[in-house]
Amino acid sequence: VICPLKVEELQYSGEIPIVFLIELQEDGSYNVLDLLNSKEFVGRGKLGEQFQFQDLSVTLVSACPDQPIVVQPFTLVVNSLSNTAKELSTILKVETTKLDKSLLNLKCEHRSRHQASQIVNAVMNSYQNYLKNYHTEIALSQLDYLG
């Protein structure tokens, strides 16, 4: 059984997409090759530990931690924030409802229902965090005004 890798944490502030070949070893270490630059070696990482390269920081883990690691290659494609936003804007629709303009209707058209659900949930969590921060700032400025 070939067990896939899972991205546990990812941060990328670059503007150019990255395509890496991850060559996984039995001990959980891996070599990283840049597929866009003639398979140039760019570093070595280990599952569960943060790997950094230029504007990229990523932590890879096994999706099946109870199974032994199989030596195998993986491709990691990381897109820029700008390109990701453009892609999401084509599949994610946000509209106000007709009866109550304060309610938003989110629709995500993706071939994978699971992926569509994750996108909608991430947008909802992000918006909830925005509202919490906004209301906290308003409350603090009101307290400053009263104090």
Side-chain angles (χ1 to χ4, degrees), residues 64-80:
C64 314
D66 54 330
Q67 295 181 4
I69 295 172
V70 178
V71 175
Q72 58 189 307
F74 290 94
T75 303
L76 175 65
V77 179
V78 182
N79 216 338
S80 68

Side-chain angles (χ1 to χ4, degrees), residues 3 7 20 25 27 38 42 51 53 63 88 102 107 125 133-134 143:
C3 183
V7 176
F20 284 152
Q25 307 301 312
D27 65 354
S38 304
V42 295
F51 173 79
F53 175 75
L88 283 176
S102 67
K107 291 181 186 175
N125 285 338
N133 291 337
Y134 176 75
L143 286 173

